[in-house]
Amino acid sequence: MTRNKKIAITGGIGSGKSLFCEILKEKGYSVFSCDSISKQLRKDEEYLALVKDAFPECVINGSLSESALSERVFSDEAARKKLESISHPLIMQRLFAEMEKRPISFAEVPLLFEGGFESSFDAVIALVRPKEARIESVIARSALTREQVILRMQSQFDYNRIAEKNCFVIENNGTYENLKEKADEILSELCL
């Protein structure tokens, strides 16, 4: 076992990343989330100033209008890339600062391949799931419409191409118990 072993968990929206991470937490592992760090950043004055410079209509009275920002970046690829250039370095900096404190840790990194961050981790676990199941899952847990979910999917890495990546792949097409079994298999392969 190497010191500070960092393992990324990734997959498209609705693939089951968060559920897989909950399983890892139940097993006693340290698990971090880029989405949680992103939420913290939205209250950071320096970050808000950067976002306001790039998207003035999305920061109102010092607060981020998440709906306005989402509408903007998911309908305009250049705007999405601009936001990612602001947020991704800050998120990853905070993530690695936390992960460095643990001998072994996992991180839920939704945009791992899109950001080119896979080489920053010792291993990558990608969850894949049929498209319709993903769409239904996201609609059930959020206020997003089918069209909004599809727009988000289209902005992400095409997980039909996952074989091109050097990673462990979990097909999340069964029950919670089945996912737990697959977690055990992956942990065994990782010698954890």
Side-chain angles (χ1 to χ4, degrees):
M1 177 174 67
T2 62
R3 183 163 166 67
N4 299 116
K5 190 167 196 167
K6 298 174 192 65
I7 302 161
I9 310 296
T10 196
I13 187 171
S15 62
K17 298 179 300 295
S18 296
L19 185 59
F20 187 79
C21 288
E22 286 304 316
I23 291 169
L24 294 173
K25 287 178 191 175
E26 287 172 11
K27 293 180 176 298
Y29 291 101
S30 296
V31 182
F32 301 96
S33 164
C34 287
D35 286 344
S36 294
I37 295 169
S38 178
K39 286 177 186 168
Q40 294 167 8
L41 270 181
R42 293 175 205 157
K43 297 174 183 143
D44 182 280
E45 288 181 23
E46 290 177 43
Y47 173 74
L48 287 173
L50 293 170
V51 173
K52 186 173 183 171
D53 284 346
F55 309 101
E57 73 282 7
C58 298
V59 179
I60 303 157
N61 297 325
S63 294
L64 182 65
S65 170
E66 293 184 39
S67 59
L69 187 61
S70 291
E71 187 175 320
R72 176 78 189 276
V73 300
F74 288 112
S75 63
D76 178 348
E77 186 175 353
R80 183 174 49 81
K81 288 184 184 272
K82 178 67 175 172
L83 177 63
E84 289 171 355
S85 74
I86 295 168
S87 59
H88 285 185
L90 296 171
I91 290 168
M92 298 310 283
Q93 180 183 30
R94 290 184 184 197
L95 174 67
F96 288 130
E98 287 301 316
M99 292 183 88
E100 285 295 328
K101 298 174 187 175
R102 309 294 193 293
I104 298 170
S105 57
F106 294 83
E108 184 177 351
V109 187
L111 301 176
L112 181 82
F113 298 125
E114 296 85 342
F117 301 117
E118 61 264 40
S119 64
S120 300
F121 293 88
D122 298 296
V124 174
I125 301 169
L127 279 87
V128 295
R129 190 175 183 196
K131 181 179 179 179
E132 281 306 313
R134 293 171 55 205
I135 292 170
E136 290 172 18
S137 174
V138 176
I139 290 172
R141 72 169 193 235
S142 70
L144 297 175
T145 66
R146 180 179 180 82
E147 294 72 28
Q148 289 170 319
V149 174
I150 290 171
L151 273 175
R152 282 161 174 73
M153 290 173 120
Q154 290 170 344
S155 72
Q156 294 182 330
F157 174 76
D158 178 3
Y159 281 86
N160 291 324
R161 297 176 30 223
I162 194 63
E164 299 171 11
K165 299 295 184 179
N166 181 22
C167 64
F168 296 93
V169 177
I170 293 180
E171 298 216 11
N172 183 17
N173 52 7
T175 64
Y176 176 73
E177 289 304 317
N178 183 253
L179 189 59
K180 283 176 76 171
E181 290 171 11
K182 290 179 179 183
D184 288 335
E185 290 169 15
I186 292 287
L187 292 171
S188 175
E189 286 186 58
L190 289 167
C191 301
L192 300 179

